Amino acid sequence: MNDISLTELSTRESAIVEWKKNVADERKLIETIVAFTNDFLNLGGGYIVCGASEATDSNGFKIVEYVGLTGIRLEEIKKYVANTCYNPNIVNPPIIPKFDEITLPEDASKKVLVITIDATNNAHTYKAEYDDIKKPRYFVRTDSNTREANNGILRELLRRKEKLEYWDKQINAKAFLTDIDELAVRAYLQEMNLWTPNKAISDYISEKEKIEQFIPPLVGKLGVGKELHPKNFTLAIFGKSPIDFCAGAYAIFTIFDGEDKSKQHAESQWITGSVIEQAKKLIELLNVESTIAIDKGTENANQIKYPKIALKEAVVNAIVHRDYEVEQPVRIEVYNNRVEIHSPGGLPFSLDKEAFIKGKASAYWRNQTFARIFQKLNLAQHNGTGIERIISAMKEEGCPEPIFEVTDFQVICTLPAHPRHVIMKQLSEAESEIVIQKYPSAYKKLAEILEKDIYNYRAIELFCNVNNLLGTPENVLKTFNSKNINFQQIRPNTLVIISESLSLLKKNTEAENLSKKLLNIAMSGRLEEQQIIKVAHTLEKLGYAKEVVDFVDKTVLQYTALSTNSPLLRYKGRSLIDLAKICKASFFENKNTRIKEKAKADFEKYITEAQKTLSIAYENAESGIDKDFVTKALEYIETDMMPFLNKSSKKKNMSKN
């Protein structure tokens, strides 16, 4: 027996233990052995258990299910694995696994084979005999699976094993010194304070001299006696045409008309040049999107759509840390409600996805030279704080949290617009739809806004307007009578507009009560001239004649300039006529002498005041239509009201005689 415990192995991470209940294909064992040895996850190696499997008991605890191997089968597996792993023509470099045998507790005729594989500093390959191409393949362990290492995973494996230089530092044999823009070298070195005037440009384009402690030489040789070639980072930053040597070294900036790509209209710019030029151009284009929304009705009157620092950091991260071995461009997509920055290639394998999304990942530079040069040019911050700064800047400005989507092929950073800008865009669209009489569509947009922000006064006013046009003021009642709304938070002018819509609902006590309530609140605040007139008009429509007269009198005392406002005086005059009508009715309906005398006296008072008020309204009317309204009211007094006054006066005189 040995000291390996299958029970203990069953508690280990699945990434370091492979359970093989039945070994149907020994070649799969070799792939897993090579994967454990390559140790891509830096776990130190792993175990392969042949003849047993994991299971769980009734309480959910892990247990081992023993199947076992016969002695003959066990020896076949050991022999095949040893001969294959020791053969450098099949597994290179060769691997020496360790074998342990465990007898089944309840069947001594069978055993479990445990193969222990230690990690090495090499990148091992396996040339399987079933491979028609007979190509050496690299295998790695990812979580609980063994997979062939291709593309980015293979490059990362070779880099970790120090078999391959990172892309930015690789010498590009297809490029020559003539592909370097010497003017760009001079300009950027001066900007980074790394230029020495008494040195020739050739001193900087050297295979031996670093331009800065953390920036390697710009060029190198691929062999003794060979000519100099630029490195990839040299071409990307100082090259005359980087895209000639890196197919994905460009960016596409697109503005879409809407919240998705469904509309045909879009504006695109394809941006080439050095990665520094691309970054500066993209930052410039995005700064235009960092507009300010002005809303004097809020505590923070000036609100930017996107924080400039967040836009800058997102662009720089996409350019500096992208995978340039992926032949796709950086894509910046601007929508009405968000900006999306697409960076080709997944995260570097050393970064934890969840920590990255939260801005808590350790600093890691896929292209270290890019990161250093961007820092020296003040285009990037130190210590890999870009994601954290994006999150912080969005939070400080009251914007929604940025969204990071990470796949094997790209990293997408989405910056949602500040809600105020999104709403303002929707409001603008709703206004346009009202103009072209697309009322149902406008209604839907405005209802959505009010669902999110019931105190948005522009949305409220447009909502009332569109329902008036649709002939559905009941929607206004439903919206503002069904929610727990503090109407004191809504400005008086807007309350008047709500009340006016509610007044369109005839013989609706609920609407009438709410309308009156809103007018009372509005009248306690400061109203604009047009809204004062609307209050008087709405009170008149609701049949509150006395309230109209009191409101106009109070308003004129408060705002003396309105003492000659023709529409306001017209509403007061008509309400005085309505009060006179009520007095007239009381005169005929009551038999009490004192009531009749009081009714007649008040009738005379209201009619006299109505004539006086309407005469002033006529003198100050600014249009023929206004004069016509006043004239009709005065004529009504003469033809319908004055006869009663004259008749009752004659009767009074006759009784005296």
Side-chain angles (χ1 to χ4, degrees):
M1 289 290 294
N2 48 59
D3 56 3
I4 287 183
S5 167
L6 294 185
T7 302
E8 193 273 334
L9 285 182
S10 70
T11 65
R12 297 284 192 92
E13 297 178 60
S14 58
I16 65 169
V17 182
E18 178 81 8
W19 297 84
K20 297 283 189 182
K21 187 176 182 179
N22 299 300
V23 184
D25 188 345
E26 293 93 340
R27 293 170 298 187
K28 295 297 180 183
L29 287 178
I30 308 301
E31 290 178 2
T32 301
I33 290 170
V34 169
F36 279 135
T37 308
N38 284 333
D39 195 25
F40 186 74
L41 298 177
N42 195 30
L43 297 173
Y47 304 87
I48 302 176
V49 181
C50 304
S53 64
E54 279 185 304
T56 54
D57 62 17
S58 58
N59 295 315
F61 293 104
K62 288 185 178 181
I63 59 173
V64 178
E65 283 190 348
Y66 294 91
V67 177
L69 302 170
T70 64
I72 295 174
R73 182 58 179 147
L74 186 145
E75 290 302 322
E76 286 177 351
I77 294 171
K78 286 175 61 177
K79 183 178 179 181
Y80 179 86
V81 169
N83 290 340
T84 303
C85 290
Y86 299 162
N87 187 340
N89 293 319
I90 302 176
V91 175
N92 187 35
I95 299 170
I96 303 176
K98 177 186 175 184
F99 300 101
D100 288 284
E101 300 174 12
I102 300 174
T103 302
L104 263 62
E106 299 178 357
D107 187 351
S109 66
K110 291 185 178 181
K111 294 182 178 181
V112 173
L113 175 64
V114 180
I115 306 173
T116 304
I117 307 101
D118 293 323
T120 73
N121 293 325
N122 294 306
H124 298 261
T125 61
Y126 172 40
K127 187 191 293 184
E129 55 268 33
Y130 62 82
D131 188 348
D132 294 336
I133 306 175
K134 297 294 188 292
K135 173 186 175 182
R137 300 182 187 274
Y138 295 87
F139 291 89
V140 294
R141 196 82 173 156
T142 58
D143 296 327
S144 59
N145 300 312
T146 296
R147 59 174 291 184
E148 184 179 351
N150 291 314
N151 304 323
I153 293 179
L154 175 57
R155 292 194 297 269
E156 183 65 19
L157 173 65
L158 296 177
R159 286 165 186 156
R160 292 183 185 183
K161 302 296 184 179
E162 298 183 351
K163 304 298 181 182
L164 180 67
E165 188 74 83
Y166 279 89
W167 178 87
D168 60 325
K169 297 177 182 176
Q170 290 176 21
I171 297 169
N172 195 314
K174 296 180 180 179
F176 300 91
L177 299 188
T178 54
D179 294 308
I180 299 174
D181 186 342
E182 294 184 358
L183 292 177
V185 174
R186 182 191 298 269
Y188 286 136
L189 291 183
Q190 288 175 341
E191 193 174 341
M192 290 186 284
N193 295 318
L194 298 175
W195 178 261
T196 304
N198 60 359
K199 290 178 67 173
I201 189 71
S202 58
D203 293 332
Y204 292 97
I205 303 176
S206 162
E207 67 172 315
K208 297 179 180 179
E209 185 171 339
K210 295 182 177 181
I211 60 174
E212 195 257 359
Q213 183 179 4
F214 299 103
I215 303 174
L218 301 182
V219 297
K221 294 179 179 178
L222 292 170
V224 178
K226 302 291 185 179
E227 62 182 314
L228 293 171
H229 296 279
K231 294 181 179 176
N232 282 330
F233 85 88
T234 307
L235 293 166
I237 293 174
F238 307 114
K240 294 178 181 177
S241 181
I243 198 171
D244 292 343
F245 304 99
C246 178
Y250 67 102
I252 300 177
F253 181 87
T254 307
I255 299 178
F256 292 96
D257 183 17
E259 297 183 2
D260 53 40
K261 300 177 182 178
S262 61
K263 294 186 179 180
Q264 293 183 353
H265 181 69
E267 299 176 9
S268 289
Q269 294 188 46
W270 292 50
I271 301 168
T272 58
S274 74
V275 291
I276 300 294
E277 292 170 331
Q278 291 177 40
K280 289 182 175 179
K281 180 63 176 177
L282 289 170
I283 292 170
E284 177 186 334
L285 290 169
L286 282 173
N287 280 344
V288 176
E289 299 301 318
S290 184
T291 54
I292 295 177
I294 300 174
D295 186 352
K296 295 181 180 179
T298 62
E299 183 177 341
N300 187 6
N302 301 332
Q303 179 61 60
I304 62 172
K305 191 172 185 179
Y306 307 100
K308 288 185 178 181
I309 188 64
L311 295 170
K312 176 184 175 183
E313 290 292 343
V315 166
V316 169
N317 271 318
I319 289 178
V320 170
H321 302 302
R322 63 156 290 183
D323 186 348
Y324 281 90
E325 291 179 273
V326 176
E327 295 185 358
Q328 292 293 323
V330 168
R331 297 179 188 271
I332 312 292
E333 298 178 351
V334 180
Y335 299 88
N336 287 349
N337 62 344
R338 69 192 185 281
V339 172
E340 292 183 5
I341 296 95
H342 298 243
S343 180
L347 286 178
F349 293 99
S350 298
L351 288 183
D352 178 75
K353 177 180 175 180
E354 296 305 318
F356 170 83
I357 290 173
K358 295 176 182 177
K360 302 298 182 183
S362 302
Y364 184 90
W365 296 289
R366 174 181 269 133
N367 304 298
Q368 188 176 16
T369 51
F370 285 18
R372 182 60 177 171
I373 290 172
F374 270 66
Q375 289 171 1
K376 296 292 289 184
L377 291 171
N378 294 317
L379 288 171
Q381 299 297 312
H382 298 271
N383 301 323
T385 58
I387 302 302
E388 190 173 1
R389 294 193 78 199
I390 293 171
I391 296 171
S392 176
M394 294 290 281
K395 183 177 181 180
E396 287 174 6
E397 289 295 340
C399 295
E401 291 185 3
I403 302 167
F404 298 97
E405 298 177 59
V406 179
T407 70
D408 292 341
F409 310 104
Q410 65 176 340
V411 176
I412 304 174
C413 172
T414 300
L415 303 179
H418 191 280
R420 187 185 301 172
H421 285 262
V422 177
I423 288 175
M424 288 182 70
K425 180 69 176 177
Q426 288 178 301
L427 284 171
S428 177
E429 291 175 352
E431 285 178 336
S432 298
E433 288 176 342
I434 291 173
V435 170
I436 61 175
Q437 300 182 12
K438 294 179 66 175
Y439 302 140
S441 179
Y443 168 83
K444 183 178 179 182
K445 284 185 173 66
L446 294 165
E448 288 175 357
I449 294 172
L450 292 178
E451 190 66 34
K452 300 172 186 174
D453 181 10
I454 194 62
Y455 298 107
N456 187 296
Y457 76 91
R458 281 186 62 198
I460 293 172
E461 292 172 6
L462 288 172
F463 183 73
C464 292
N465 179 224
V466 78
N467 277 293
N468 293 348
L469 292 166
L470 286 167
T472 55
E474 61 272 13
N475 289 335
V476 177
L477 177 64
K478 181 180 178 182
T479 298
F480 292 97
N481 209 35
S482 63
K483 299 179 184 297
N484 186 20
I485 300 171
N486 181 359
F487 289 108
Q488 300 289 348
Q489 293 185 25
I490 300 177
R491 67 179 194 166
N493 293 335
T494 305
L495 292 175
V496 173
I497 292 172
I498 300 173
S499 178
E500 188 179 27
S501 284
L502 294 173
S503 71
L504 298 174
L505 288 169
K506 303 300 182 183
K507 298 181 181 179
N508 187 314
T509 304
E510 198 175 21
E512 182 179 324
N513 291 339
L514 181 57
S515 179
K516 180 68 181 298
K517 174 185 175 181
L518 298 183
L519 285 178
N520 286 333
I521 297 172
M523 288 186 289
S524 66
R526 186 176 180 84
L527 291 165
E528 296 174 2
E529 182 176 336
Q530 286 299 320
Q531 301 309 318
I532 289 172
I533 295 170
K534 282 190 174 183
V535 169
H537 175 61
T538 304
L539 286 170
E540 185 193 35
K541 286 173 63 179
L542 291 170
Y544 298 126
K546 185 67 169 65
E547 284 82 353
V548 173
V549 174
D550 291 342
F551 171 69
V552 174
D553 288 344
K554 180 182 176 182
T555 301
V556 169
L557 283 174
Q558 189 175 0
Y559 307 105
T560 55
L562 295 177
S563 62
T564 57
N565 184 285
S566 182
L568 196 61
L569 295 176
R570 187 173 76 243
Y571 291 128
K572 178 185 174 182
R574 293 200 314 209
S575 294
L576 286 165
I577 293 173
D578 288 339
L579 289 172
K581 288 180 181 178
I582 297 171
C583 292
K584 181 180 176 182
S586 294
F587 178 86
F588 288 111
E589 291 170 3
N590 279 277
K591 296 180 180 180
N592 186 293
T593 303
R594 291 189 61 182
I595 294 295
K596 291 175 76 70
E597 289 179 354
K598 176 64 175 172
K600 178 182 176 301
D602 285 351
F603 176 90
E604 184 174 0
K605 180 184 70 171
Y606 289 137
I607 284 300
T608 302
E609 190 177 354
Q611 284 181 313
K612 180 181 176 182
T613 300
L614 291 168
S615 295
I616 298 172
Y618 183 86
E619 291 171 4
N620 292 279
E622 296 181 354
S623 69
I625 294 175
D626 286 342
K627 287 186 176 182
D628 287 342
F629 280 131
V630 176
T631 299
K632 288 178 181 178
L634 288 168
E635 288 175 351
Y636 179 80
I637 292 175
E638 289 295 330
T639 58
D640 290 70
M641 307 302 284
M642 292 305 290
F644 167 72
L645 184 61
N646 296 333
K647 184 177 180 181
S648 60
S649 296
K650 287 179 180 179
K651 285 184 178 181
K652 184 176 182 181
N653 292 331
M654 288 174 65
S655 64
K656 286 181 179 180
N657 294 330

